Amino acid sequence: MPNNEQTKATHYIHRTSYGFQEQLVGAFILVTVGLLLAMLFAQIKSQNIFEEYFVIYGKLSSAEGLSKETIVQISGFEVGHVSAIDITDKNDILLTMNIVKRYHKLLRTDSRIKVSSLNATIIGKSIISITAGSPDLAMIDEGVTLAVQESRSVEDVIAEATETIQTVNSVIEDISNVVAAVEPKKIADTISAFQQLATNIKDMSEHIKTGAGPVGTLIYDDKSSQDFKQGIENLHATTVQINQMVESLNTDVQKIPLMLESINAVIDDTDETIKATQRVWPISSAMSGSDNKQLITDPMPAND
Amino acid sequence: MIKLKYLLFVYLMLILTACVSAPDKKENPYLLERAESYMASGVEYYQHYEYLSARAQFTKALYEYQGFNYVAGIARCRLNLAKLAIALGEYDEADKNLKLARQIIDDNKLSELTILADIMSSSMAIQLKNYASALAYLEPYLSDMNAVKNRDAAIYIAVILNRVRVAFGLGDEQKKWMDRFYQAIDKNDPGYRARWLRFQAELASLNNEYADSERWLMQALELYRQQANPKGVSSALQALGAIKLKKQDWHGAADDYENALLASFKIKDKSTVLEILDVLSGLYLKLDKTVNKKKVDHLKSVITEKNKNLWYVMPVPGI
């Protein structure tokens, strides 16, 4: 029975012949190589290396954040890239955009091109977005030049922020005027009233100290000494309780050896777990083969 | 249609389950573990030329195995002790252990150990210049070399190596068996390469091509030095000394034999030490080194005297 259990626990691969293992390894290698090739092909495909392109042009006033690597998107899809940036005779910027041919149908006469300069400031590169046109309209021809709608530049945003700051400044100035309008005499009167209140509190304290009034009696009466004795007795009772707690603690301390035994059992379990882990590839491959004891000397002649 | 990523997931799962499930470690009983630990330790000592320590470990292992009548262990122990005795040049002891090992092997049908016993017997026969007997031990394996080769490459090389030694002993077919040996060995293994160079040198020496022979022996010597192999160093130096003897370069020959003596002394190889002392005795006579000759002769008498097991603590004469 134990042998059967052991057989069940062992992975089937360790019960197969060497030849079968070789075939299995070969099959896995072939499948892996196939997968790698498939992944490579998918990667090439995703980069549109074998795709056909058509060219359109875009005209704009600033090439900020644009480069030959700038991506062209239609409705969020990456459909091409900028292949050249030139300057026209009228000092405009002319972008040459290569668009994958199979997305041509998305470009209709009502398609608009936008470039976001803010992207260049925030993520370091601009993206050219083209809106997908209405399917009812005609497709745009290859080689046409479209006007590029430029979004607000950083300078525009800063100019807007400057206006806001000016507004904030004027608000601060108003607050300053309000503060200046406050009368110092009224504030002096208020402080004087506070001083009077402090004097009254001092008088009350002196009354209590002399034992006058209910509060003074409570604090300075002879009975207070008896109360103190009572407090000492309470303290004694507390000490007794602490002793009981210490005894309880002693009982707990006696349990420590038992706990240590439990810990030892846990350590043994951990040891087994570690040994099992050592048998797991790739950890096992990094361990020296202590199991393979050489029990017989090598067959080479000893007297040669 | 099943998506590719699910197929990939299943495929990787299959790979991982095979990877993480090494077979459970077989736990041996304590006494067996202890005996095998002695054996492994003895083998390690043997590999490091610590023959006496190896013998102590093998003896302890033998007692352990005998304690629970573990015949496979006892047979291996006897073979190890026999091999050790051959390395020390104690052929009577080797023969005794070999006979006991063979008896256990035959009684218990431990046929996989027979070839090891036969290689040892052939080695002993070669040492005693009984080449016909050595050949008889090797013959069964030489007729079906592929079977031996497929079973264990090291055993195959050992059989061929002894066959080459027999060929030199009989003075027949040396080249043929040397070629077989060359084909069998790993050319990048310095130990095998050095042995091949020594065979080359021996063949050249037979053809009186002493310059070539010396050149190959020097190369072999260098390889043995790099491997810190006293046995190989001693053999190469003895062969160099033998060539110098043929060339009547007595001083050169004495130097080589003295260094060979040191190497053999280091590993307590009694048989080789006696052979070298014989040669040195004659050389000192020729060189008129009478004091050295007396020391050599005295050492020989000590070694050959019975119950003088600690001969190797004596000073090495002539150095």
Side-chain angles (χ1 to χ4, degrees), chain A residues 229-284:
Chain A
K229 282 180 185 173
Q230 184 65 41
I232 293 290
E233 282 172 9
N234 288 342
L235 185 65
H236 178 71
T238 309
T239 309
V240 170
Q241 280 181 344
I242 289 172
N243 276 337
Q244 285 171 348
M245 283 171 68
V246 167
E247 278 177 18
S248 165
L249 190 63
N250 276 336
T251 315
D252 289 341
V253 167
Q254 283 170 0
K255 287 177 185 170
I256 286 177
L258 292 172
M259 286 168 64
L260 284 175
E261 278 180 22
S262 303
I263 290 169
N264 275 337
V266 171
I267 289 171
D268 287 344
D269 288 346
T270 312
D271 186 46
E272 273 187 33
T273 309
I274 289 170
K275 280 179 183 168
T277 312
Q278 285 170 348
R279 294 202 302 276
V280 173
W281 185 90
I283 299 167
S284 58

Side-chain angles (χ1 to χ4, degrees), chain A residues 6 9-11 14 28 31-32 35 279-281 291 293-304, chain B residues 8 11 19 21-25 33 36 39-40 43 46-47 76 80 83 123 127 158 161-162 165 195 231:
Chain A
Q6 203 170 5
T10 310
H11 193 274
H14 305 295
F28 271 118
V31 172
T32 308
L35 273 173
R279 294 202 302 276
V280 173
W281 185 90
D291 293 347
K293 286 179 191 164
Q294 196 179 340
L295 300 180
I296 198 148
T297 53
D298 66 84
M300 293 306 284
N303 58 348
D304 180 45
Chain B
L8 262 177
Y11 172 68
C19 288
S21 59
D24 291 337
K25 189 185 170 190
E33 281 285 339
E36 295 197 337
M39 281 285 268
V43 170
Y46 175 85
Q47 286 166 342
R76 281 202 298 265
N80 282 344
K83 182 86 172 275
S123 299
Q127 192 66 33
L161 183 114
N162 267 358
R165 293 167 77 196
R195 189 62 189 97
K231 200 103 187 168

Side-chain angles (χ1 to χ4, degrees), chain A residues 300, chain B residues 148 152-162 181 184-186 192:
Chain A
M300 293 306 284
Chain B
V148 181
D152 190 321
I155 290 177
Y156 172 71
I157 293 171
V159 170
I160 299 267
L161 183 114
N162 267 358
F181 178 71
I185 60 170
D186 172 6
Y192 289 142

Side-chain angles (χ1 to χ4, degrees), chain A residues 89-106:
Chain A
D89 297 338
K90 293 178 181 175
N91 290 344
D92 285 326
I93 306 296
L94 185 71
L95 297 178
T96 307
M97 291 170 279
N98 284 356
I99 310 289
V100 176
K101 210 157 192 171
R102 63 191 154 98
Y103 295 115
H104 189 179
K105 62 182 179 183
L106 292 173

